[in-house]
Amino acid sequence: MSGVKIMKRLAKEIKPVSGYMGLCITGGILGQLTILGTLVAGVGIICSYAGIDMFLSTGKWVVALFICALLRGPSRYLEQYFGHHVAYKLLAIMRVNLYDNLRKLSPAKMLDKKNGDVVSTAISDIECIEIFFAHTVAPIVIAVVISCLSLILCAAIWPMIALVMLPFYLVIGVVIPIFSARVGRDTGRDYRLWLGDLKSYLIDSLKGIKEIIAFGKGTERLGNIDKKGGEINQVLHKLIRHRNFVMAMPDLGRTLSRVVIMAICSYGMMIGEVGIGGSAVLMVVLAASFTPVIAISGLSGSLLQTFAAAERVFALEDEKPQVIDPVNPKKGVTNSGEISFSNIGFTYPTRSNVVINGFNMTAKKGDKIAFIGESGSGKSTALRLLLRYWDPDEGEILVGGTNIKDVSLKDCRNNFAMLSQDTWLMNDTIEENIKIGNPYATHEEVVEAAKRACIHDFIENLTDGYQSHAGEMGSRLSGGERQRIGIARVCLRNTPIMILDEPTSSLDTLNEKSILKTLYTEFKDRTIITVSHRASTVAGCDRVYRLDAK
Ligand SMILES: Nc1ncnc2c1ncn2[C@@H]1O[C@H](COP(=O)(O)OP(=O)(O)OP(=O)(O)O)[C@@H](O)[C@H]1O
């Protein structure tokens, strides 16, 4: 994506808060005008004391000086306050938009992405865009307005000086930033990529710390972190060299412009085109008006990272999900427990080998169905197709007689309560974790579900009972305890179909028997599909479907 395209797209994001941005720009312009006004009033006071006619009396210049000085504070406050208000509001909107798309991309498109890289984009890349919203848009407008006003004022005093100064404004404010952005673009991009890669490696190393220690890989990981850190530093040095160069060039331009201003003003006085007062005003106005222009030039160094970060955010925002909602979804026709797989064929887009080929299955309301087969035969894949994480390449899946592709993803998934192989516990109380199954459930209903999942006594014995924090002790819970919390969650979700992927793999036979009996008898009206390797888990099912590895 080109720099101009990124800027245009970022600028579009400002639309919902354009009023606040207007206030920020007004504050900025007013702030710069107060600086110019203070300097011009100073010149006015000195010249009128020296007996040079400066249009206003000394007293009026003093009043003007005080007004400008007093307005400087509030205008600066206005600019900074609304600039940051806009930036943080927009960053919050961008975070929500990004998470919304990540949600749609999950799980199919998210499997290929590195967790750390996505976290890096969702947090630090978005944070990096703050520079554009808070420190770029308004300063560009302010610099353009102040440069134009200064040139108009100069042209009113002596048109020639405006003509001579115009190229300085263009070179410092336009040519240098564009050139700098073009030259440093790849370095900025490399830095964000390396940073994402390092974060990903760190998160991976933390997640797998037990295995890393057990297999004696700690030193190797440490060495790799050190190596990656060194590589990042090299790119960072390039960025800093570039930024320093970019900061030095406009400063050089400003110094040269001052020499030219003085030379031309002296020449103007010599040939009688401008008086002492006019020259003094020209000198202070032109010198001061370069400050906002220089600020833009200086920004172009920081913007390299901002553009690279925005590019990464937009790439994630633009990525198309694996499955999409139909344009005109059918409504309310799938709420039953009937399921049918007819002639299903499926190959993962990233693989060449067929996973499911010509698979057929039917379940009536209340049927207890089992999928069995050796490891890798496609049992979990069949469940993923039912949940529409992917669409089959061949055949169709019907729920309640309707093709699941014809209803919205939300309506389709509202039919299912899912227990996956690894129960995810969010950073909240045990009660809230169970209530994921039904946020409106009462405490009594949560307790009832926990009893069905044979986890009630365990929870009661915790120091804070149902209010104990699962996040803090998530890693201290055994696999079986986590699995039973997952089962309680499923029990609470009132859907016609329950999907259980290895529901009792971490439980002893006693607990397994008791939980399955509860599930199969108490939920006799619900259709249950169970995936398991264990004969004991599928023993109570009405029908067993075998999937064969291809
Ligand atoms: N997201 C994916 N992308 C590509 N291939 C995948 C993906 N998920 C699974 N597979 C492959 O598809 C095949 C079937 O996987 P699946 O998880 O459905 O098997 P399974 O029968 O449930 O196995 P297990 O009993 O070991 O859990 C395997 O070869 C697996 O490597």
Side-chain angles (χ1 to χ4, degrees):
M1 208 186 258
S2 73
V4 178
K5 266 195 186 154
I6 294 176
M7 271 187 111
K8 267 192 190 163
R9 182 143 170 198
L10 284 172
K12 250 193 207 164
E13 304 269 343
I14 297 172
K15 226 174 177 185
V17 288
S18 48
Y20 293 122
M21 184 53 96
L23 285 171
C24 164
I25 292 171
T26 309
I29 293 173
L30 204 65
Q32 289 301 323
L33 287 179
T34 58
I35 295 177
L36 295 182
T38 315
L39 293 168
V40 172
V43 170
I45 293 167
I46 294 168
C47 288
S48 53
Y49 265 124
I52 299 164
D53 180 22
M54 288 297 286
F55 307 108
L56 298 179
S57 65
T58 315
K60 283 185 179 159
W61 279 120
V62 172
V63 172
L65 180 71
F66 273 105
I67 291 174
C68 287
L70 286 176
L71 278 178
R72 173 71 186 143
S75 54
R76 177 93 179 130
Y77 179 81
L78 202 68
E79 180 194 358
Q80 289 297 312
Y81 176 80
F82 284 109
H84 285 92
H85 180 75
V86 163
Y88 293 129
K89 228 178 163 57
L90 289 176
L91 297 191
I93 293 174
M94 286 184 84
R95 264 184 224 114
V96 172
N97 289 345
L98 184 67
Y99 184 74
D100 189 37
N101 205 42
L102 291 180
R103 209 167 49 109
K104 290 178 191 150
L105 293 176
S106 294
K109 288 286 183 83
M110 294 304 290
L111 292 173
D112 305 330
K113 302 193 189 309
K114 297 179 192 165
N115 275 347
D117 220 18
V118 175
V119 171
S120 178
T121 303
I123 298 174
S124 60
D125 283 343
I126 287 194
E127 208 64 38
C128 199
I129 299 174
E130 188 258 353
I131 293 184
F132 182 81
F133 293 134
H135 307 283
T136 306
V137 179
I140 287 178
V141 180
I142 294 164
V144 170
V145 172
I146 294 299
S147 306
C148 291
L149 287 179
S150 305
L151 283 171
I152 291 170
L153 180 71
C154 295
I157 297 174
W158 187 23
M160 219 251 305
I161 202 158
L163 269 179
V164 175
M165 293 317 292
L166 182 63
F168 281 96
Y169 284 104
L170 292 178
V171 170
I172 298 175
V174 181
V175 178
I176 294 180
I178 290 177
F179 172 76
S180 134
R182 290 232 165 116
V183 172
R185 192 69 203 286
D186 288 344
T187 319
R189 205 178 273 150
D190 286 351
Y191 180 66
R192 300 308 304 179
L193 278 176
W194 279 106
L195 209 60
D197 183 57
L198 177 66
K199 281 184 187 162
S200 186
Y201 195 78
L202 282 172
I203 289 179
D204 199 36
S205 304
L206 282 175
K207 269 167 75 179
I209 195 106
K210 280 190 266 174
E211 281 80 0
I212 289 169
I213 292 171
F215 285 92
K217 292 281 174 192
T219 318
E220 188 185 315
R221 286 257 153 183
L222 206 62
N224 285 343
I225 289 171
D226 187 36
K227 197 168 147 231
K228 282 175 189 287
E231 280 157 349
I232 286 188
N233 274 354
Q234 275 183 14
V235 185
L236 195 59
H237 272 125
K238 259 197 196 173
L239 260 186
I240 291 171
R241 272 203 305 273
H242 179 82
R243 198 165 56 204
N244 289 343
F245 178 74
V246 168
M247 304 274 253
M249 288 303 285
D251 256 351
L252 179 69
R254 174 162 57 180
T255 314
L256 280 176
S257 75
R258 281 179 184 163
V259 174
V260 173
I261 296 166
M262 282 182 217
I264 293 193
C265 285
S266 311
Y267 173 70
M269 280 196 292
M270 238 168 59
I271 61 169
E273 277 291 341
V274 275
I276 295 178
S279 291
V281 168
L282 281 174
M283 274 195 244
V284 293
V285 167
L286 286 173
S289 69
F290 273 103
T291 307
V293 187
I294 296 267
I296 299 179
S297 258
L299 264 179
S300 56
S302 325
L303 278 181
L304 293 179
Q305 277 201 58
T306 302
F307 282 177
E311 204 172 14
R312 282 158 56 87
V313 173
F314 291 149
L316 265 188
E317 268 185 17
D318 293 345
E319 193 160 340
K320 295 276 170 279
Q322 185 72 38
V323 285
I324 45 167
D325 270 327
V327 184
N328 295 311
K330 290 186 181 171
K331 288 225 174 286
V333 284
T334 57
N335 198 10
S336 94
E338 288 167 24
I339 307 167
S340 136
F341 280 59
S342 65
N343 276 323
I344 295 301
F346 179 70
T347 305
Y348 281 103
T350 49
R351 293 268 179 98
S352 55
N353 55 319
V354 177
V355 176
I356 296 179
N357 191 11
F359 179 62
N360 291 291
M361 181 283 261
T362 50
K364 289 196 299 297
K365 184 171 188 264
D367 278 355
K368 310 293 176 264
I369 304 289
F371 286 174
I372 59 163
E374 59 202 68
S375 178
S377 57
K379 303 179 293 293
S380 303
T381 303
L383 299 185
R384 289 176 203 141
L385 296 179
L386 181 59
L387 286 159
R388 257 203 106 196
Y389 290 169
W390 278 267
D391 280 332
D393 305 322
E394 286 163 26
E396 52 181 23
I397 299 173
L398 311 183
V399 172
T402 306
N403 191 329
I404 53 172
K405 279 185 179 177
D406 295 337
V407 292
S408 70
L409 284 167
K410 189 163 175 260
D411 280 353
C412 167
R413 290 171 189 164
N414 273 346
N415 285 291
F416 310 109
M418 165 86 179
L419 175 72
S420 59
Q421 289 183 18
D422 312 302
T423 301
W424 163 73
L425 294 183
M426 66 172 174
N427 192 12
D428 209 331
T429 59
I430 300 267
E431 175 142 355
E432 287 305 318
N433 265 289
I434 297 177
K435 276 169 79 174
I436 288 179
N438 175 8
Y440 306 107
T442 61
H443 176 69
E444 288 66 35
E445 286 167 332
V446 171
V447 171
E448 196 47 47
K451 281 182 181 165
R452 282 174 175 157
C454 300
I455 188 76
H456 170 70
D457 292 341
F458 168 79
I459 299 173
E460 281 283 272
N461 281 329
L462 295 171
T463 329
D464 296 318
Y466 281 83
Q467 297 316 311
S468 307
H469 234 263
E472 287 161 16
M473 49 183 227
S475 52
R476 277 180 265 146
L477 292 175
S478 75
E481 286 151 4
R482 294 168 77 89
Q483 198 160 40
R484 278 179 283 162
I485 291 176
I487 292 170
R489 201 182 266 174
V490 170
C491 290
L492 215 52
R493 189 161 157 84
N494 190 13
T495 56
I497 301 165
M498 279 179 155
I499 294 176
L500 312 174
D501 196 354
E502 297 286 2
T504 50
S505 56
S506 306
L507 302 183
D508 54 61
T509 33
L510 221 65
N511 265 317
E512 178 185 41
K513 214 168 161 191
S514 160
I515 288 173
L516 288 176
K517 191 170 165 228
T518 311
L519 287 175
Y520 291 159
T521 52
E522 288 198 29
F523 298 114
K524 56 178 182 296
D525 287 343
R526 300 200 204 177
T527 308
I528 301 183
I529 300 184
T530 310
V531 162
S532 183
H533 289 286
R534 283 195 194 176
S536 55
T537 312
V538 299
C541 290
D542 303 319
R543 273 193 309 288
V544 174
Y545 289 87
R546 169 173 285 281
L547 284 106
D548 295 313
K550 311 292 163 316

